[in-house]
Amino acid sequence: MERPYRVVVAKPGLDGHDRGAKVVARALRDAGFEVIYTGLHQTVEQIVETVVQEDADVVGVSLLSGAHLTLVPKLIAGLSERGRSDALLVVGGIIPDGDIPLLHEMGVAQVFTPGSSLTAICDWLEATLDARERAS
């Protein structure tokens, strides 16, 4: 890892199931990332504010409620408005296969669905961020 990257892990909306987000957050921490977990029931505005305040390199949102096509565009707009469209956006959770290309078109860097290995998530994130770091 080129440097310790800061990752905000967030649970937007009313979904109260955060076990997966916590497991991913712990795996990222154990892999050397600095992880900020926002907790449950965060608004898009709260998530954007956390990304700004923490100067995060990545925001990872966990969505199980089916609201990804509503919340992700709002998150992207909020990050852009606050000058943080450079933060890498990653989505995890219950995402129908047909929606994944739509999320990529919106600007989501990667989508991790149930069954994604923790090692694959950590490795992908490290490789992607290291490549960005070397390019800058």
Side-chain angles (χ1 to χ4, degrees), residues 97-121:
D97 291 340
D99 290 348
I100 293 173
L102 297 171
L103 292 170
H104 286 299
E105 288 173 19
M106 291 177 195
V108 172
Q110 188 61 279
V111 177
F112 295 101
T113 55
S116 298
S117 82
L118 296 173
T119 301
I121 294 168

Side-chain angles (χ1 to χ4, degrees), residues 4-97:
Y5 300 109
R6 295 178 67 80
V7 181
V8 169
V9 176
K11 285 291 300 179
L14 299 176
D15 172 24
H17 301 281
D18 66 344
R19 178 180 288 176
K22 288 179 177 177
V23 168
V24 170
R26 178 167 287 183
L28 291 169
R29 183 203 64 195
D30 291 349
F33 293 89
E34 294 179 13
V35 179
I36 300 95
Y37 176 60
T38 64
L40 290 170
H41 310 302
Q42 298 296 295
T43 66
V44 167
E45 294 79 14
Q46 289 171 316
I47 295 167
V48 169
E49 186 62 29
T50 302
V51 171
V52 171
Q53 287 181 4
E54 297 291 343
D55 193 28
D57 300 292
V58 179
V59 57
V61 293
S62 171
L63 294 157
L64 305 174
S65 65
H68 51 280
L69 295 180
T70 300
L71 294 172
V72 168
K74 290 179 182 179
L75 183 57
I76 291 169
L79 290 168
S80 179
E81 289 169 11
R82 294 294 302 273
R84 287 309 320 270
S85 56
D86 62 315
L88 192 69
L89 178 56
V90 178
V91 173
I94 310 285
I95 309 295
D97 291 340

